[in-house]
Amino acid sequence: MDNLVIAGKTYTSRLLVGTGKYKDFSETRAAVEASGAEIITVAIRRTNIGQNFNEPNLLEVLPPSQYTLLPNTAGCYTVEDAVRTLRLARELLDGHSLVKLEVLGDPKTLYPNMVETLKAAEILIKEDFQVMVYTSDDPIIAKQLEDMGCVAVMPLASLIGSGMGILNPWNLQIIIDNAKIPVLVDAGVGTASDATIAMELGCDGVLMNTAIAAARDPVLMASAMRKAVEAGREAYLAGRMAKKLYSANPSSPTDGVIARADTTTKKSATGKSA
Amino acid sequence: MIQLTINGQPQQFESPINVTQLIDHLALHGKRIAIECNGEIIPRSQFSEQILDHGDQLEVVVAVGGG
C-alpha cells in the first residue's frame, strides 16, 4: 500500500485539512468527511468566559478518537507564544504530541518568520513534541528544520489564504529532492489542479483550509480535493512521459489505414520533397 | 478579596480558590479545556490541589476551527 507515514504513524489519505472558516460545525464536519482527511488542524483559543454553557465544542463534532488532531500555532508571532500554545494543546489533547508549528512574521502577508520558527522548533523538539513545521520554500531552511528533528516540513505554495497556487515549483522540487522526511505543501492551494500539481512534483501530502472552506460549495470542493490529491499521487508514481514539442510517433498504428494515402507520393506530387 | 485575571479579564473572589472551584465557577465543568497559570501549564491531575491566589494570570483555552 502507498501510505503516508508521519512520525511512525501510517495514514491512508495524503490530504490534510483545516477546520476554520466554515459557516457552522455541521458544514465543517461534512467537508472533512468528503475530503477523506485523517489529519485535521485545529487552533487553540481562549474560551469565552461566561458564554459557553451550551455552546457546542469542535472536538464533539470531530472527536480525537476518529481523527488525528493537529493543533496549530496560527496567530503566533513569537517563539514564546507558539511554544505556550502547543504546551496548552498537548494538555488539552491528553498528551498528544504531533503539532503544527507556524510562527508568523507579518500580519499583512502571514509570511512565516523563519528565524523565530527555527528557535521554536528547537525548544519543542527538546520537549518531545513531534513537529510538523510551516516554512518558506527556502531549501536550506527546510533542510535545517529536518536536521534538527522536525517530523515533516510544510513549505508554502503561496501565501496563507491567497489561493494563488504553486508559485515556485522549482524550489519545492529542490526541497523534495533533499528531504528524507515527508514534505507537505501547506498554504496557497486555490483549486483542485493546484493540489494535483503539488502531488505530481512528489510532495507527500497537501494541507489546505481556505481552498475548501471558501469555495461556493465547500463539501463538493472537499471531494474534488480528495480526488485531485489521489490523481496527482498516482501520476507521480506512474511517472509522466517525456515532454517534446511534437512527435513523429502517433498513438494509432501507421499500417492498415484504409484508402491508403502515401505521404511520400503526395509530397512527390507537389514536388516539395522530390 | 483577591483578584484573578482570567483570559485577560479581572475577576474578584472572596478568598483563594483551587482550580476545580474556578472551573465550577466558570461553568466549564466537563468541558475539554486546558489551563495555564502565570505561563505554566496546570495538569488536570492537579486541579484540586493547585490554589489560585491574588494576582494570578490564567489562560483557559479550547480547541476551535483553524487551518
Side-chain angles (χ1 to χ4, degrees):
Chain A
M1 274 296 286
D2 172 47
N3 291 321
L4 172 63
V5 180
I6 298 174
K9 196 173 166 196
T10 301
Y11 304 91
T12 319
S13 172
R14 292 177 179 274
L15 173 57
L16 289 68
V17 297
T19 54
K21 299 183 181 173
Y22 289 98
K23 73 169 193 274
D24 54 34
F25 280 156
S26 104
E27 188 181 69
T28 313
R29 190 190 169 91
V32 169
E33 282 178 359
S35 77
E38 296 162 285
I39 302 176
I40 58 175
T41 61
V42 298
I44 305 298
R45 289 291 179 272
R46 285 174 163 175
T47 186
N48 293 324
I49 298 295
Q51 295 165 35
N52 38 18
F53 302 102
N54 288 312
E55 197 177 90
N57 183 304
L58 179 69
L59 301 190
E60 289 160 14
V61 183
L62 298 166
S65 56
Q66 219 177 316
Y67 294 97
T68 296
L69 297 184
L70 187 64
N72 69 25
T73 58
C76 293
Y77 288 84
T78 64
V79 173
E80 194 201 352
D81 286 352
V83 170
R84 278 173 66 199
T85 298
L86 293 178
R87 286 178 186 147
L88 280 163
R90 181 155 67 177
E91 179 62 21
L92 187 72
L93 298 172
D94 305 320
H96 169 87
S97 61
L98 187 71
V99 295
K100 171 181 161 178
L101 171 65
E102 57 182 299
V103 186
L104 303 175
D106 167 30
K108 186 176 173 185
T109 62
L110 303 177
Y111 202 83
N113 180 331
M114 294 319 301
V115 176
E116 297 292 294
T117 301
L118 285 160
K119 288 183 205 160
E122 193 173 7
I123 294 169
L124 291 166
I125 290 163
K126 275 195 192 132
E127 295 184 16
D128 295 323
F129 282 92
Q130 295 172 319
V131 180
M132 299 176 70
V133 58
Y134 177 57
T135 176
S136 62
D137 61 0
D138 180 327
I140 305 304
I141 297 277
K143 194 66 190 168
Q144 285 177 345
L145 290 164
E146 174 177 352
D147 289 346
M148 71 169 49
C150 290
V151 299
V153 288
M154 306 201 290
L156 51 79
S158 47
L159 297 178
I160 291 173
S162 70
M164 291 285 285
I166 298 170
L167 300 186
N168 193 341
W170 306 109
N171 270 31
L172 287 180
Q173 190 74 68
I174 296 169
I175 292 171
I176 292 163
D177 287 352
N178 287 344
K180 294 187 180 69
I181 56 172
V183 177
L184 294 89
V185 154
D186 180 3
V189 165
T191 187
S193 52
D194 296 333
T196 303
I197 291 167
M199 295 307 294
E200 285 171 345
L201 284 171
C203 282
D204 295 282
V206 180
L207 198 169
M208 65 179 76
N209 191 149
T210 312
I212 296 173
R216 192 174 61 242
D217 183 341
V219 179
L220 189 56
M221 186 58 90
S223 165
M225 290 300 185
R226 174 187 200 153
K227 293 169 185 162
V229 168
E230 285 175 4
R233 179 63 184 178
E234 287 187 6
Y236 168 74
L237 293 174
R240 61 152 301 144
M241 64 168 281
K243 280 184 185 175
K244 45 201 163 189
L245 188 54
Y246 53 83
S247 166
N249 187 7
S251 300
S252 305
T254 47
D255 287 344
V257 179
I258 59 162
R260 188 172 181 80
D262 189 324
T263 49
T264 319
T265 316
K266 261 192 175 170
K267 280 178 186 169
S268 300
T270 58
K272 277 181 185 165
S273 62
Chain B
M1 290 288 274
I2 64 152
Q3 181 172 297
L4 305 177
T5 304
I6 306 163
N7 290 353
Q9 297 167 17
Q11 284 205 30
Q12 319 285 330
F13 294 86
E14 294 282 328
S15 57
I17 57 171
N18 67 36
V19 180
T20 305
Q21 288 166 323
L22 176 74
I23 290 169
D24 287 342
H25 170 78
L26 298 174
L28 290 170
H29 187 75
K31 299 276 182 190
R32 200 184 257 269
I33 54 168
I35 303 182
E36 184 193 72
C37 179
N38 303 327
E40 300 288 329
I41 299 287
I42 308 175
R44 223 166 293 170
S45 58
Q46 288 172 27
F47 278 2
S48 54
E49 291 146 42
Q50 173 117 12
I51 305 297
L52 306 171
D53 210 337
H54 185 71
D56 281 349
Q57 305 271 338
L58 293 144
E59 295 289 341
V60 184
V61 302
V62 290
V64 301

